[in-house]
Amino acid sequence: MTIASDSSAATTPTPTAPDPIDIAALRERYRIERDKRLREDGNEQYVEVQGDFSHYAEDPYVAPGFTRAPLADEVEVVVIGGGFGGLLAGARLREAGVQSLRMIEAAGDFGGTWYWNRYPGAACDIEAYVYLPLLEELGVMPTRRFATGAEILAHAQAVGRHFDLYRDACFQTRVSGLDWDEADARWVIRTHRGDRMRARFVIMSNGPLNRPKLPGIPGITHFKGHTFHTSRWDYAYTGGGPEGGLDRLHDKRVAVIGTGATAVQCLPHLAASAKQVVVFQRTPSSIDLRNDRPTDPEWAASLKPGWQRERIENFAIILSGGMVAVDMVRDGWTEAARNFRAIAMSDRSVLASPESIAAAMELSDARKMTQVRARVDEVVQDPGTAESLKPWYRQFCKRPCFHDDYLQAFNRPNVKLVDTQGQGVERFTESAVVFGGVAHEVDAVIFATGFEVGTGYTRRSGYDLVGRGGVTLSDKWRDGMRTVHGMLSNGFPNLIIFGTPQSGQTANFVHALDEQGRHAAYLITQAQQRGVRTLEPTLEEEAAWVKTIIESTRRNEAFLASCTPGYYNNEGKPGARGVQNSPYGLGAMAFFKLLATWRDSDRFSGLQLTFEE
């Protein structure tokens, strides 16, 4: 999510227009709530899923015992990652005519996050008409406005079939090393299955949303009850399926650690089935109305060619702080922008300066969050529980959630909220979860703690890269990422990286991944057509891009520092390195336009290139 303007109390004036909201008092309340969550260890509070924790990362959706012979062949392009990023890279390369292509994926099939997230109630909070990619190319339409996880997974697999990406794909295969062979100008890809494949180009679309994140709670290995992570849901223990009906929990006491988007979606199903559910909360999520509905067939039939790209870009423009004539999506994500537009239309003077724009945006945000907190009081019957469930921060400090049954679940007599006041669980015993000196006896613990996002790139990918001259990527990026567009890095030829750091970020991640897929296809096909042997950015262009990222991100630094800790602000430590590793600060659409201009003006020729003899 791009924040359109700085909102620090030190630089942004309080709006002068009459309004019942006391902005100064609200800022102070937000600061108090933020400070409860601040901690010195930042991302180090989470433990790696290895050793005693390795079972949390196992794939429960494949039969054990899969083997195959090691590969030592060569292809033109290897794409690492089978989520939507990898699928879009593969799709755009196929469209460009690239046939020698291999997908490598640790899971048992395509799907990425949606392969792993099969917990009950899993669904996307971005409208399916803009989230699911390639709808027109495949000639399909989502069944609902907000697609379920099962439908999204099926769509990912359909993309793989449509673009013939299953051909030569290696599933259940984890990359263990990536080494540049300078003499042959090829990447050598090593895997845990003994492979030593070679590729002219490598696209890394590992993605952040695949590696389970576990809090380093003392005694976590001592608990003798049943435990699992939501991204590896254990239906053998709970019974039921993605639509609910968890019939094996009728006599079980279940603890849920975490109250982010995953817990918001699965709690109603746990509450309907378990004997008791104890929810441990550090920071409450912002819960807005979802208002899902089936796709209207008449509306779908009325759409003209090009409708999806137009709708996707309309959504991104609004979330980047831009103005559009019509809000095509009109959901909870775009409501803050609609509120700002209403303020600006009623008083054009708010557009006179960056400071007045920032003040108006803060006011529109305050109105929205006041509405969200009021809804908690309307729904939750117990006043104490309701107060604990109110989010005291700006809407986009954390990823907002949209659900029509989560808050209602706390009205059930079998559901208990333990508000840890930002501190988290203290420890585990053999049979209980402890906070505030109170031991909550439970039979099972479910970690709804999400995926690793802010940890190091090589830690999340599970391997390091060795580029030219034996330099590793982790060494080069020790003091922060150094890339051009977040995708190319000097010293690592013919390597293309997908992700949000130093690139474009929007709440609709798949849109950004598609833009990267288009850019990657351009880079590779241009190299093929021009007889290029290796491509990489010059050190000068790389340094210029790092400077651009730092300068463009400074405008959001105060905002992020004011937010409650989370992966948006590097767990409360935005800092110098955090700024350098941030997305492009002027907005996703500005970044996508920048990429298009780079291509149209043939900046490719300015890369550091070598040519085939």
Side-chain angles (χ1 to χ4, degrees), residues 158-181:
V159 170
R161 291 191 297 271
H162 183 86
F163 290 97
D164 195 21
L165 300 178
Y166 281 95
R167 187 206 329 164
D168 293 334
C170 292
F171 295 112
Q172 299 186 58
T173 301
R174 296 190 304 275
V175 173
S176 56
L178 199 58
D179 306 303
W180 175 249
D181 182 341

Side-chain angles (χ1 to χ4, degrees), residues 218-288:
I220 189 172
T221 59
H222 299 161
F223 181 71
K224 292 187 175 180
H226 196 74
T227 65
F228 60 87
H229 190 275
T230 49
S231 67
R232 308 295 193 271
W233 194 275
D234 189 350
Y235 283 108
Y237 181 83
T238 66
E243 295 183 355
L246 312 179
D247 55 293
R248 296 184 181 179
L249 296 181
H250 66 92
D251 61 344
K252 299 293 192 295
R253 301 162 299 173
V254 179
V256 177
I257 309 293
T259 51
T262 298
V264 167
Q265 293 183 341
C266 71
L267 176 62
H269 297 284
L270 291 168
S273 303
K275 177 181 179 181
Q276 183 185 37
V277 183
V278 185
V279 181
F280 292 86
Q281 171 185 280
R282 283 203 301 185
T283 306
S285 283
S286 168
I287 313 295
D288 205 353

